[in-house]
Amino acid sequence: MNQSGPPVTEYRSIVLVDVEGSTKLPDPAQMEVRKALYAILDEAFGQAGVSERHQVREDRGDGVMILVDSAVPKIHLAGKFLGQLVSSLEEHNRSNALSDWLRLRIALHVGEVHRDRHGYGGDALNSAFRLLDAEELKSRFKEIQRAQCVVIASERLFHDLIRHHPGETGAAHYREITVERIGKPAWVRVPGFTSLPESPAIEKKSGGPGGAKTAGMTANTLFAGPVTAHRDFVINND
């Protein structure tokens, strides 16, 4: 890596993964979680045909940042990679109690990143981490106890790619939200949930277990509250 020259600019697909609640675990358990996470990622990238030579990974303790070479079609990440990741995650969790599930937040973005002797930086990376850490995303994920992962895609990636390949990306299951911290829309999907159960926050408003409830809540309803805007994505076949 260049030690003294100007930063090198590269166009990359950005995949960020965070393990929900792992920092509260004792060290041995954290190491087991990391082992499982990397096994799941390796399987997902392998099935999507994304080799290690096309990836740059930076471990984040309770997660990982992956920068994927522009030579890799983005549809592989939004389609095959995510599909296999969900399958591998479900397989891992099948043998564990709900309280011991591995639960992941995943952010997808694309853009120019800058590399210097310290590593990678730039606005695209900043935006991706703000998506991953969005309170609007974290709070909802905590409320959906049986959700194994949640995916948030940037507005750019959704409109440039995901919506154009609904069969491969599950575009119809994404819902638009506005992330207050960046003041821009993003698109959220909870794999395995097309009609979501009532969240604890809304149950509390309706008077608890004995109060009125709304059956068969949709993802659109669940992502209400502090989220400033939301709408369903509708495929237009005209």
Side-chain angles (χ1 to χ4, degrees):
M1 184 174 290
N2 192 337
Q3 298 295 308
S4 59
V8 176
T9 301
E10 304 169 350
Y11 185 86
R12 295 272 186 164
S13 295
I14 302 168
V15 181
L16 305 180
V17 183
D18 184 90
V19 180
E20 187 80 2
S22 68
T23 55
K24 299 177 182 178
L25 299 173
D27 286 352
Q30 286 192 39
M31 298 309 293
E32 286 299 315
V33 165
R34 283 161 55 87
K35 180 180 177 180
L37 172 62
Y38 279 102
I40 288 170
L41 288 173
D42 288 343
E43 177 69 16
F45 278 118
Q47 290 295 321
V50 183
S51 67
E52 289 186 11
R53 68 186 180 89
H54 285 137
Q55 302 174 46
V56 173
R57 294 186 184 183
E58 287 189 4
D59 187 86
R60 297 281 166 154
D62 57 350
V64 60
M65 176 187 81
I66 307 112
L67 304 179
V68 181
D69 194 280
S70 59
V72 176
K74 294 186 289 295
I75 187 64
H76 289 359
L77 300 175
K80 294 178 182 179
F81 166 75
L82 275 182
Q84 182 60 51
L85 186 148
V86 172
S87 296
S88 297
L89 182 61
E90 290 174 346
E91 180 65 27
H92 171 80
N93 287 336
R94 195 167 290 127
S95 59
N96 293 298
L98 178 61
S99 58
D100 296 325
W101 274 9
L102 186 64
R103 304 179 76 232
L104 305 178
R105 296 196 323 277
I106 304 159
L108 302 177
H109 188 33
V110 292
E112 303 285 349
V113 298
H114 308 284
R115 174 171 58 87
D116 61 16
R117 66 189 183 92
H118 303 293
Y120 289 84
D123 185 65
L125 274 179
N126 293 340
S127 295
F129 276 105
R130 286 169 183 154
L131 291 176
L132 184 71
D133 294 332
E135 287 302 321
E136 296 91 341
L137 187 71
K138 288 182 176 180
S139 61
R140 286 355 179 251
F141 191 36
K142 289 178 181 178
E143 292 172 355
I144 317 171
Q145 294 298 315
R146 299 197 68 85
Q148 301 187 50
C149 67
V150 61
V151 181
I152 184 166
S154 66
E155 174 83 340
R156 178 178 180 181
L157 181 62
F158 183 86
H159 277 282
D160 285 356
L161 177 80
I162 292 174
R163 71 187 182 99
H164 296 291
H165 303 274
E168 297 171 83
T169 64
H173 300 306
Y174 280 85
R175 301 293 180 266
E176 185 187 43
I177 67 170
T178 293
V179 178
E180 183 176 351
R181 190 176 175 190
I182 62 175
K184 294 181 180 180
W187 290 79
V188 174
R189 175 188 174 194
V190 183
F193 286 79
T194 53
S195 179
L196 298 175
E198 187 163 0
S199 73
I202 296 177
E203 179 179 301
K204 183 177 180 181
K205 289 181 181 179
S206 63
K213 294 184 178 181
T214 303
M217 293 183 66
T218 64
N220 224 20
T221 308
L222 186 74
F223 283 94
V227 178
T228 57
H230 57 267
R231 74 171 187 269
D232 291 353
F233 168 64
V234 178
I235 300 173
N236 189 340
N237 292 319
D238 293 342

